[in-house]
Amino acid sequence: AKVARMSSSAELNTGQIHRPLAIYMDFHPNIPAGRWEDIMRNKLIGSRTRNVLTFCLSLVTAALTFWCTCVGQIDTDKLDADKLFQMARGKAYAGEREEARRRCRIIIARSPSYLDAKILLARTYAWDGQMIEARSTLSAVLREKSTYKDAIDALIDVELWDKDFGRALEIANEGLLLYPRDEDLLLKKARALIDLERDEEALLVLLRLEQMIPSRLEFVRLRESVSRRSVLNGLGVGVL
């Protein structure tokens, strides 16, 4: 009877202890009965303490997460776009052009002013022979920013690949009005002139490039090739 009364009082009406005190006493007969209420009360206090600590830890974690989100929110979109662009470019150069285009479209949807994604998209179109899409995409970029050299470079490449050498030369000349000493634009102008068989003009451009950057053997080899062709054609303008 005494054990039953203690069991009833030791449960403490908390709902925390689900087994009667008598079960514990059966397993530990050497512990005096008077100590059981203290033992069970300490268990309850320990459980409550753990619950409080767990709750506090959850609050701290939530607060830190919220703070980090707020601090990083300004740059998140840009960082995400930059990372996605690097991945898209890697896919494009690995030959996975459809996947590259998919990622470029995601970037553009998130950041419509991300021009490099549009240029990469246009280049992948051109690599797959979709010249109309490539021209349209690059023309849209140049309408947004007419002086963007990367877009000018890409559009010249598209025209060269599509064998519209006259249009490539025209775009190169327009670009050189903005960037008169740009070696990429000068080289593409020379290539367009060579493809148009305007060797004299091409040689003048290549000689200028050699003077600007004597260490670029590419210019020397290309000039020598054009010079040999000129001699064979009887123009007599080659500089061998």
Side-chain angles (χ1 to χ4, degrees):
K2 182 177 181 180
V3 170
R5 284 195 301 274
M6 290 184 64
S7 297
S8 176
S9 62
E11 288 178 12
L12 302 177
N13 297 319
T14 64
Q16 300 284 338
I17 303 170
H18 301 290
R19 290 188 291 179
L21 179 57
I23 295 175
Y24 292 98
M25 294 180 66
D26 288 342
F27 281 104
H28 303 280
N30 297 326
I31 297 178
R35 291 282 300 152
W36 278 106
E37 286 193 23
D38 291 338
I39 291 171
M40 297 307 293
R41 186 176 290 106
N42 288 339
K43 285 181 177 289
L44 176 60
I45 292 172
S47 176
R48 286 176 173 173
T49 302
R50 285 193 297 273
N51 289 341
V52 170
L53 289 175
T54 300
F55 177 72
C56 291
L57 182 60
S58 298
L59 286 179
V60 171
T61 302
L64 286 173
T65 301
F66 178 75
W67 180 80
C68 291
T69 300
C70 291
V71 170
Q73 188 63 47
I74 296 175
D75 294 330
T76 296
D77 289 342
K78 187 175 186 309
L79 289 173
D80 287 347
D82 289 340
K83 182 177 180 180
L84 201 56
F85 177 71
Q86 295 300 323
M87 295 169 66
R89 187 163 61 177
K91 293 291 185 182
Y93 287 114
E96 300 178 45
R97 291 192 279 274
E98 190 55 49
E99 178 61 21
R101 283 192 283 270
R102 187 185 71 82
R103 298 187 185 204
C104 285
R105 292 187 189 104
I106 293 172
I107 297 168
I108 295 165
R110 292 180 183 175
S111 306
S113 62
Y114 204 113
L115 300 184
D116 286 343
K118 296 180 181 181
I119 293 170
L120 179 60
L121 178 64
R123 285 191 177 276
T124 64
Y125 282 140
W127 294 340
D128 282 343
Q130 302 176 47
M131 299 305 182
I132 294 175
E133 291 84 351
R135 287 190 184 94
S136 175
T137 304
L138 291 170
S139 296
V141 172
L142 289 170
R143 283 194 297 272
E144 291 183 60
K145 188 175 181 180
S146 61
T147 60
Y148 198 31
K149 194 182 83 68
D150 288 350
I152 296 171
D153 276 337
L155 189 54
I156 297 170
D157 285 338
V158 169
E159 301 302 347
L160 288 173
W161 294 334
D162 203 29
K163 301 187 184 304
D164 192 345
F165 306 124
R167 179 60 180 151
L169 178 61
E170 182 182 337
I171 299 168
N173 283 331
E174 291 172 358
L176 286 166
L177 292 175
L178 298 168
Y179 308 99
R181 291 182 59 82
D182 186 86
E183 61 188 79
D184 292 326
L185 293 176
L186 285 168
L187 181 58
K188 288 173 184 179
K189 176 178 179 176
R191 291 189 182 283
L193 289 167
I194 292 167
D195 288 322
L196 290 167
E197 298 185 357
R198 292 164 58 173
D199 290 351
E200 291 186 66
E201 296 171 74
L203 284 168
L204 291 174
V205 175
L206 290 169
L207 284 169
R208 181 183 174 189
L209 281 167
E210 283 186 59
Q211 292 169 356
M212 289 171 53
I213 314 174
S215 60
R216 284 284 292 273
L217 295 178
E218 177 186 5
F219 303 151
V220 177
R221 294 193 185 101
L222 189 56
R223 176 183 59 77
E224 290 174 348
S225 175
V226 176
S227 295
R228 282 191 291 271
R229 188 175 76 175
S230 298
V231 170
L232 290 173
N233 290 339
L235 297 179
V237 297
V239 183
L240 298 174

